[in-house]
Amino acid sequence: MPFVDIYSKDDYASIFYTTNTEYDCVGGFDPDKPTILMLHPTTLDSSWLTEQFSDPRLGSNFNLIAFDMRVCGKSTCRANGKHDSWVEAADIAMCSQMLHLPPCHIFACETLAVNSALRFAILWVCTVQHSKLQLIVFTRFPEMCLSLTLCNVPAPTEMKWVFNAYDEMMQTWCYTEDLESLEHVAMELSRFLVGSDCDPDLRDDLIEYWEIQMPPYRRTRIVEQLGVIMNRTPPKSYMLKEITQPVLIIHGERNEVCPLKYAERLVADLVNVEGGAILYTVKGGAAALNIVPGTASITNQVFTKFVSRLPHHKSDLLPSPIPREERMAIALGKLAQLMGDSSISLRDRSSPMSFSCLTPEVIQGQTDSLELYRKGEGTALDPCGPNGKPIRKFSETRKQHWFSGEKDGISYARSSLTKNGKQEAEPYERSLPLPQSEPVTGDLAHQGRLRRATINPSSVDKHVIKGSMAKVVNSNTPNSFQRLLK
């Protein structure tokens, strides 16, 4: 895979990307076809956009490019506590300019990509007067993006039970000491991200990917990625008004991690979108709409029809008339206006980290967390063999697992009796019953996250995983973590 190097005094990153051209480079783009820039789902990378790249409705009619975000896939970067979704948006902008990409249709999947795409849209949409050029520079969104398609819009900040589940899985995954425990957490994560009815073959592929790309001995990448999700602050309504380009939101009807009401709320907030934002609900769809074959085909069809109705735009690879650093300075100026902090415009225009909008307390908390998880990282569990592949496939050994004696995953907990003597299905036998809690907001949310982010890892249960993530999912309060604070 080719890559783009982004470097500055306080940061460096190698952002890998892939295209649908013969030699996997943007130089092979057909200038007569529009270009689509795709952002992969959370905890995955661009290789999980196969359903889109292999679909002739997209691959034959458009130029496709997908980036691995800086802590995902093959991309590498220096760990930094300033990392947030604004930084991801700056990465996209800088890579697009360095590759001389034409204006693109953005296709963003799931939480991390959706938040990054929205912030990208906000920063490169308005008319701003640049102090050095002494003229009005029209830095409108079409310079980099023609439209915005969002798959499964998350809550502004994670709901309490989702936050707790992420925190529990991160703690257990990073410090597990045996393969069975790791596979158990991976199975729970697949249920969490894809749904309780995840196809066994898809689950095998997901677990294999996580064992190769996100093993415990690379746990700082996991911590940094989930920190971007868990410590984010939602964009204000006046920021969303800056988006004027066509917007399509595709949302799973049965998505419990990202309820439909938040997609509807975003549609209402995008008041200045040309023609109004469009919301398409995938009947029976849940999470990972672009991965599950059935919903992926529907998603591709809806997206293709949406883009085809827009004005045709060629893909000539031409350098921007404004130097890259000048354009980034304009974006920093716009961000300073939106955040009400004039010091932002004075930051290093060559560094994506200059776009970070985290508070000093959150930055310090994330930095401390990265330092804590880095201790002993090199000696942590490696689930792969000498050939770099997982030692075994999850489904092939499932019957031998102590936690997989029954079809639903736990041999000793197939069912239980209620008070009236009737059998009640265990969590594995029903879809996840999710509490209807509102997102965690305000200063208390950040304080709680920072407190849990710096837990001493020696207090985590390492040898035995007790129960399942369903117990966390069924809880509205973080009581399950009190044992970690003792």
Side-chain angles (χ1 to χ4, degrees):
M1 291 176 66
F3 60 91
V4 177
D5 279 334
I6 302 175
Y7 52 90
S8 61
K9 293 180 180 180
D10 64 341
D11 177 56
Y12 75 84
S14 293
I15 308 298
F16 282 72
Y17 65 92
T18 185
T19 71
N20 65 334
T21 61
E22 183 176 359
Y23 298 105
D24 202 17
C25 63
V26 297
F29 279 175
D30 186 339
D32 293 326
K33 295 180 181 179
T35 299
I36 296 174
L37 191 158
M38 297 187 173
L39 303 178
H40 58 78
T42 307
T43 73
L44 301 175
D45 64 12
S46 58
S47 65
W48 289 87
L49 295 168
T50 305
E51 293 289 340
Q52 285 68 51
F53 274 70
S54 62
D55 192 324
R57 292 172 293 188
L58 293 172
S60 299
N61 299 312
F62 299 93
N63 299 312
L64 305 180
I65 182 171
F67 293 103
D68 284 351
M69 296 189 184
R70 62 167 50 210
V71 289
C72 303
K74 294 185 177 181
S75 293
T76 59
C77 69
R78 177 187 298 165
N80 199 315
K82 296 180 181 179
H83 189 183
D84 66 357
S85 294
W86 294 101
V87 173
E88 294 286 357
D91 283 342
I92 299 170
M94 296 190 76
C95 290
S96 297
Q97 294 173 76
M98 295 174 76
L99 293 174
H100 297 164
L101 288 183
C104 302
H105 299 280
I106 303 295
F107 180 82
C109 306
E110 309 299 328
T111 303
L112 186 61
V114 168
N115 280 288
S116 302
L118 282 173
R119 286 156 176 77
F120 177 72
I122 290 170
L123 285 186
W124 282 272
V125 68
C126 292
T127 302
V128 183
Q129 184 173 3
H130 192 267
S131 58
K132 289 187 177 181
L133 295 179
Q134 294 299 322
L135 51 84
I136 299 296
V137 180
F138 290 89
T139 57
R140 288 194 175 276
F141 196 55
E143 281 192 89
M144 290 189 182
C145 181
L146 300 171
S147 68
L148 193 61
T149 299
L150 311 175
C151 296
N152 281 334
V153 173
T157 58
E158 298 301 349
M159 295 179 290
K160 186 180 296 184
W161 73 267
V162 176
F163 186 92
N164 291 347
Y166 272 136
D167 199 15
E168 178 80 359
M169 285 186 287
M170 181 178 69
Q171 290 279 344
T172 309
W173 180 276
C174 291
Y175 291 101
T176 185
E177 292 186 341
D178 60 86
L179 185 57
E180 287 192 350
S181 298
L182 189 72
E183 289 176 336
H184 181 59
V185 180
M187 179 181 66
E188 296 292 357
L189 182 59
S190 68
R191 292 175 182 270
F192 187 74
L193 295 179
V194 180
S196 57
D197 56 348
C198 179
D199 180 78
D201 292 334
L202 177 58
R203 181 183 294 115
D204 280 342
D205 293 340
L206 286 168
I207 293 176
E208 178 181 357
Y209 170 81
W210 289 326
E211 290 180 350
I212 295 174
Q213 296 291 340
M214 300 170 59
Y217 73 86
R218 301 180 71 189
R219 58 189 177 216
T220 52
R221 288 169 63 88
I222 306 171
V223 174
E224 186 170 359
Q225 181 177 171
L226 292 183
V228 175
I229 297 173
M230 298 165 69
N231 292 328
R232 72 179 185 270
T233 54
K236 305 296 184 181
S237 59
Y238 67 86
M239 297 180 182
L240 296 175
K241 292 180 181 179
E242 304 293 338
I243 301 176
T244 60
Q245 269 49 51
V247 175
L248 168 66
I249 297 176
I250 306 175
H251 206 92
E253 179 187 35
R254 298 172 56 191
N255 193 328
E256 296 165 319
V257 177
C258 304
L260 181 61
K261 64 179 180 180
Y262 296 113
E264 296 171 342
R265 187 177 302 177
L266 180 60
V267 170
D269 289 338
L270 296 172
V271 294
N272 291 331
V273 169
E274 180 182 343
I278 301 172
L279 174 60
Y280 183 90
T281 304
V282 180
K283 301 299 181 182
L289 294 177
N290 74 299
I291 295 176
V292 180
T295 58
S297 179
I298 297 173
T299 300
N300 294 347
Q301 180 183 23
V302 175
F303 174 57
T304 303
K305 289 183 177 180
F306 169 72
V307 174
S308 299
R309 293 171 182 172
L310 301 177
H312 185 83
H313 197 285
K314 291 188 175 182
S315 297
D316 296 316
L317 302 180
L318 301 174
S320 172
I322 305 176
R324 173 166 54 89
E325 290 194 359
E326 296 294 339
R327 293 191 68 180
M328 300 307 288
I330 294 172
L332 280 173
K334 179 59 183 177
L335 184 60
Q337 294 179 17
L338 293 173
M339 303 303 295
D341 183 359
S342 59
S343 65
I344 294 178
S345 62
L346 303 177
R347 295 176 182 175
D348 183 5
R349 64 186 69 178
S350 64
S351 173
M353 289 298 163
S354 299
F355 288 80
S356 176
C357 293
L358 296 176
T359 63
E361 294 77 14
V362 177
I363 293 174
Q364 186 61 48
Q366 291 195 159
T367 302
D368 293 343
S369 182
L370 289 170
E371 288 295 328
L372 181 66
Y373 279 87
R374 189 178 289 112
K375 295 179 180 178
E377 181 181 25
T379 59
L381 176 68
D382 181 0
C384 297
N387 61 351
K389 300 292 184 180
I391 297 174
R392 63 191 185 192
K393 183 178 290 188
F394 176 74
S395 61
E396 293 178 351
T397 58
R398 185 177 181 185
K399 292 183 179 180
Q400 284 73 42
H401 284 199
W402 61 268
F403 55 82
S404 302
E406 296 294 341
K407 66 177 182 178
D408 296 308
I410 296 184
S411 59
Y412 58 81
R414 182 178 181 183
S415 61
S416 60
L417 295 178
T418 60
K419 292 181 179 179
N420 57 14
K422 295 182 179 180
Q423 280 194 336
E424 180 184 9
E426 286 296 322
Y428 276 102
E429 295 182 308
R430 58 178 184 266
S431 59
L432 300 178
L434 310 178
Q436 301 300 315
S437 59
E438 288 297 316
V440 182
T441 57
D443 294 336
L444 292 178
H446 283 306
Q447 292 172 5
R449 290 168 182 172
L450 292 177
R451 183 176 65 250
R452 287 195 291 272
T454 55
I455 291 173
N456 190 330
S458 63
S459 63
V460 179
D461 290 343
K462 297 181 179 179
H463 300 289
V464 179
I465 296 179
K466 300 176 182 179
S468 68
M469 278 308 304
K471 293 182 179 180
V472 177
V473 171
N474 289 337
S475 174
N476 264 331
T477 62
N479 293 333
S480 59
F481 299 103
Q482 294 303 315
R483 58 184 176 82
L484 300 176
L485 302 176
K486 295 179 180 179

